[in-house]
Amino acid sequence: MQKIRFTFIDLFAGIGGFKMALSNNGGHCLGFSEINKDAINTYCENFQIEPSSNLGDITKIKELPPHDLLTAGVPCQSWSIAGKNLGFDDDRGQLWNDTIYLLQQSQPKVFIFENVKGLVDPRNKKALSYILERIEQAGYHANYFVINSFDYGVPQNRIRIYIIGFKNQEYFQNFTLPKPIENKLKLGDILGIESQKRIDNKIVQRDLFGNILESKNMSLSNTNGFNDYFLFNDLRNGHTTIHSWDIIDTTQRQKDICLLLLKNRRKSNYGELDGNPLSLAHFQSLDSSIKQEEIDELIQLDILKSEEYRFVIKEYNINDLTKDEALLLSFTNNAEIIVDSLRIQKVFKLEKRSITKIIQSLKEKDIIECDEIRYDFKNTKISTGLFGVNRIFLPSSDIFPTLVASDTNDFITLKTIAAINHHDFKNKFIKEVYNSREFRKITKSEACLIQGFPHDFKLPESRARWMKLIGNSVSVPVIDKLCKAIVETGVFENEEKDQNNQSIELDFPDTETLSFAEAF
């Protein structure tokens, strides 16, 4: 039996990250708001509550019952900072305004709102200022905090903004952000949890093939200066960067040509972008022995690609142009069109106009003609990686990247590598991990632990479905630490200073899901 210390309402509840943390600190949930069916089913199944507890679509909630604490993991939607600016009753329909409307209406003692770190970006300064202003107008003293989940107990680099506010200024002044924990959980501590078994009353960990892993210290200080993950990318270089020419069968000559492009493509004399394609003439100015046939071979290997870079403009009748064609031709330089110069023009991106399609249209009308071909790496999107792999993390890594709803091309390996130098480290990784396919994506159980949920938290079977749910959740230990700090202010103890909500002193069966610490 656990005594109720405070009541709360869970807006944008997701799968219950707020609920789990607050319930483990004596909170009693009076209702939650969620519209995603998978999230609703997951919430109700894990916490053994009826779907009738769901308050439904926040935009349709007119009133909340009295409660002590309001939580909201407001989605990071595109959001107009001003709305209609007609007051709380008239700015409905935008999720931040809907949230603050319900805060103003219900007047709880304290609230916690969570959002992506982009809200504190200088470009969103007006949006954040507007949110804080509306919160103040609702009668609250509030501040925002930028927190990395790794500092509070999960092996994940997840930076989020938390806005915390109190109705009573005294408790606001009493609130102190918890200090980061010292003994942080590391990624290696949770990898392969499903394959851990007890041998002679000791937990042993096995690799993907069932072999027992030797005991190891997961601290990066014992990795001899080696990085703890490998990056698959053709646009960067480093001891633990894997390029396409490292894993495709290529000659040393071909590798040297690729490295020549990598070394020079970011130089400003080749173009205006951060990375620019090079023409054959550019290659030959760097190495006169390079032939067109060698460039073509690298294209056939899917390492390089050709690009139409420069166009000359022929005579044309302006009445024959579409609006998009006229726009593109307005960005000319000495009767030439340079593709990279077009790519830095914001109008094409803002108005979602395809430069490629417009150029193709002008070519078909015989208005422009390609005058220069250049060559670049085929894989130029860093986040995509190479051949479906972006990064592979070793067991020595402290953290895993931010879990996102759409999943990523990040993988882990349970294989440890003993190497004598960086060259040996990279070669052994390619041979023993990449070529041997001894790597995989994180499992459902590992994803739960990376977010601070119990490893056996119930989620849908489909990876796409459970990844969306877990990637959209808050990290449970962060909310746990924030809740403890809020309780320590005394906000739920002194009823004389705030009569908005009546404290409930009831015992109820502790049927909540185990906390992360208890489960692990």
Side-chain angles (χ1 to χ4, degrees):
M1 303 294 284
Q2 184 178 355
K3 182 170 290 188
I4 296 177
R5 305 172 74 175
F6 60 92
T7 58
F8 68 94
I9 288 178
D10 195 3
L11 302 180
F12 306 104
I15 59 175
F18 275 106
K19 177 174 173 57
M20 179 173 289
L22 299 185
S23 296
N24 287 331
N25 283 280
H28 177 56
C29 185
L30 298 180
F32 72 98
S33 171
E34 180 57 58
I35 60 173
N36 180 275
K37 291 183 178 179
D38 267 349
I40 295 168
N41 292 336
T42 299
Y43 195 104
C44 292
E45 181 180 11
N46 282 280
F47 299 110
Q48 300 179 351
I49 60 176
E50 294 299 320
S52 58
S53 297
N54 185 11
L55 302 173
D57 187 344
I58 186 175
T59 65
K60 298 178 181 178
I61 300 175
K62 299 184 182 299
E63 186 178 14
L64 292 176
H67 57 284
D68 298 313
L69 190 155
L70 180 65
T71 69
V74 186
C76 51
Q77 63 172 167
S78 296
W79 184 71
S80 169
I81 65 170
K84 298 177 182 178
N85 204 25
L86 299 175
F88 290 107
D89 292 317
D90 296 309
D91 278 351
R92 305 300 305 279
Q94 299 182 72
L95 300 183
W96 265 111
N97 281 328
D98 290 320
T99 302
I100 299 172
Y101 166 86
L102 292 176
L103 175 71
Q104 190 270 345
Q105 175 271 323
S106 59
Q107 295 289 297
K109 298 176 181 179
V110 59
F111 69 83
I112 309 174
F113 297 158
E114 180 259 6
N115 206 254
V116 294
K117 65 178 179 179
L119 191 57
V120 296
D121 189 285
R123 293 172 296 180
N124 294 320
K125 182 178 180 180
K126 289 183 179 179
L128 179 58
S129 296
Y130 174 76
I131 291 171
L132 295 174
E133 178 184 343
R134 296 302 296 269
I135 288 172
E136 183 179 359
Q137 290 173 1
Y140 285 83
H141 307 274
N143 200 356
Y144 67 90
F145 307 91
V146 179
I147 296 173
N148 191 336
S149 295
F150 180 62
D151 289 330
Y152 287 161
V154 295
Q156 180 187 182
N157 181 43
R158 189 180 192 86
I159 302 174
R160 292 291 185 267
I161 178 176
Y162 296 85
I163 304 176
I164 300 175
F166 294 78
K167 186 68 179 170
N168 188 297
Q169 187 174 12
E170 177 185 344
Y171 301 125
F172 171 71
Q173 294 173 338
N174 288 344
F175 178 80
T176 302
L177 191 68
K179 294 181 179 179
I181 62 175
E182 294 183 4
N183 297 320
K184 296 180 173 61
L185 190 71
K186 308 296 178 63
L187 177 62
D189 296 331
I190 69 168
L191 293 183
I193 188 169
E194 297 100 327
S195 61
Q196 292 180 1
K197 297 181 180 179
R198 288 191 175 273
I199 297 180
D200 296 330
N201 293 322
K202 294 182 178 180
I203 293 287
V204 294
Q205 196 173 44
R206 298 178 182 273
D207 64 19
L208 297 179
F209 303 98
N211 302 312
I212 296 176
L213 296 175
E214 295 181 4
S215 176
K216 54 187 177 294
N217 190 316
M218 295 300 175
S219 171
L220 292 181
S221 62
N222 291 330
T223 58
N224 298 318
F226 298 145
N227 287 348
D228 50 24
Y229 70 89
F230 280 81
L231 174 67
F232 288 69
N233 192 286
D234 282 347
L235 306 186
R236 300 290 183 266
N237 203 12
H239 295 302
T240 52
T241 300
I242 306 296
H243 305 110
S244 57
W245 55 92
D246 292 322
I247 51 183
I248 292 176
D249 188 15
T250 52
T251 65
Q252 187 58 51
R253 169 71 170 177
Q254 290 171 328
K255 297 180 194 296
D256 291 341
I257 293 174
C258 291
L259 288 170
L260 191 67
L261 174 58
L262 176 60
K263 181 179 179 180
N264 289 278
R265 66 185 299 277
R266 299 182 72 183
K267 292 183 178 178
S268 59
N269 53 309
Y270 296 117
E272 300 182 56
L273 300 182
D274 181 50
N276 302 281
L278 272 61
S279 67
L280 177 62
H282 292 144
F283 275 103
Q284 291 176 338
S285 70
L286 298 167
D287 182 347
S288 59
S289 67
I290 294 178
K291 298 180 175 59
Q292 180 67 55
E293 293 78 9
E294 294 178 302
I295 302 295
D296 292 340
E297 289 173 355
L298 288 167
I299 293 175
Q300 293 174 3
L301 289 171
D302 282 339
I303 296 175
L304 299 187
K305 64 180 177 181
S306 63
E307 297 182 1
E308 293 183 325
Y309 184 81
R310 186 193 309 271
F311 295 86
V312 294
I313 304 172
K314 301 180 180 182
E315 292 185 3
Y316 63 91
N317 187 332
I318 193 170
N319 294 323
D320 294 335
L321 300 178
T322 66
K323 181 179 179 181
D324 287 352
E325 291 168 349
L327 173 67
L328 188 144
L329 288 173
S330 68
F331 296 103
T332 60
N333 182 18
N334 297 324
E336 291 182 334
I337 294 174
I338 298 175
V339 174
D340 282 359
S341 296
L342 297 174
R343 289 173 177 163
I344 63 176
Q345 306 301 327
K346 294 182 179 180
V347 62
F348 292 100
K349 184 175 293 185
L350 290 174
E351 299 185 12
K352 298 181 180 180
R353 303 184 183 189
S354 170
I355 294 173
T356 302
K357 289 182 179 179
I358 300 172
I359 286 178
Q360 182 61 34
S361 176
L362 289 170
K363 285 171 59 180
E364 291 173 355
K365 292 182 178 180
D366 198 29
I367 294 175
I368 62 174
E369 181 180 26
C370 181
D371 187 49
E372 182 182 17
I373 299 290
R374 290 196 181 190
Y375 306 95
D376 201 357
F377 294 116
K378 184 172 183 178
N379 299 291
T380 55
K381 190 173 182 181
I382 293 179
S383 60
T384 302
L386 299 174
F387 315 114
V389 179
N390 182 24
R391 289 170 291 192
I392 297 178
F393 287 79
L394 301 173
S396 56
S397 177
D398 281 358
I399 59 178
F400 197 71
T402 305
L403 297 185
V404 295
S406 58
D407 210 344
T408 64
N409 288 332
D410 290 320
F411 295 77
I412 58 95
T413 179
L414 300 184
K415 181 75 175 180
T416 56
I417 302 173
I420 57 176
N421 54 44
H422 289 293
H423 180 72
D424 186 41
F425 189 50
K426 181 174 178 177
N427 286 342
K428 285 186 174 179
F429 172 83
I430 293 174
K431 179 181 179 181
E432 299 177 14
V433 176
Y434 184 78
N435 289 342
S436 299
R437 311 303 292 178
E438 196 170 340
F439 62 92
R440 58 170 172 78
K441 289 195 171 185
I442 59 170
T443 65
K444 186 193 302 185
S445 295
E446 290 165 344
C448 287
L449 293 175
I450 288 172
Q451 275 287 54
F453 286 86
H455 72 90
D456 56 355
F457 192 79
K458 297 175 183 178
L459 291 168
E461 288 301 317
S462 164
R463 182 179 183 89
R465 291 168 63 194
W466 64 252
M467 197 68 205
K468 180 179 180 179
L469 295 176
I470 204 75
N472 279 331
S473 177
V474 294
S475 299
V476 178
V478 176
I479 306 304
D480 176 78
K481 296 292 183 184
L482 294 178
C483 180
K484 284 180 168 59
I486 288 172
V487 170
E488 289 175 0
T489 67
V491 65
F492 302 130
E493 296 175 5
N494 193 335
E495 291 300 306
E496 293 181 0
K497 294 184 178 180
D498 190 345
Q499 295 295 331
N500 287 310
N501 301 291
Q502 297 299 317
S503 177
I504 301 176
E505 292 294 333
L506 298 173
D507 287 336
F508 68 98
D510 186 7
T511 59
E512 306 291 351
T513 306
L514 288 175
S515 69
F516 176 54
E518 293 170 322
F520 190 74

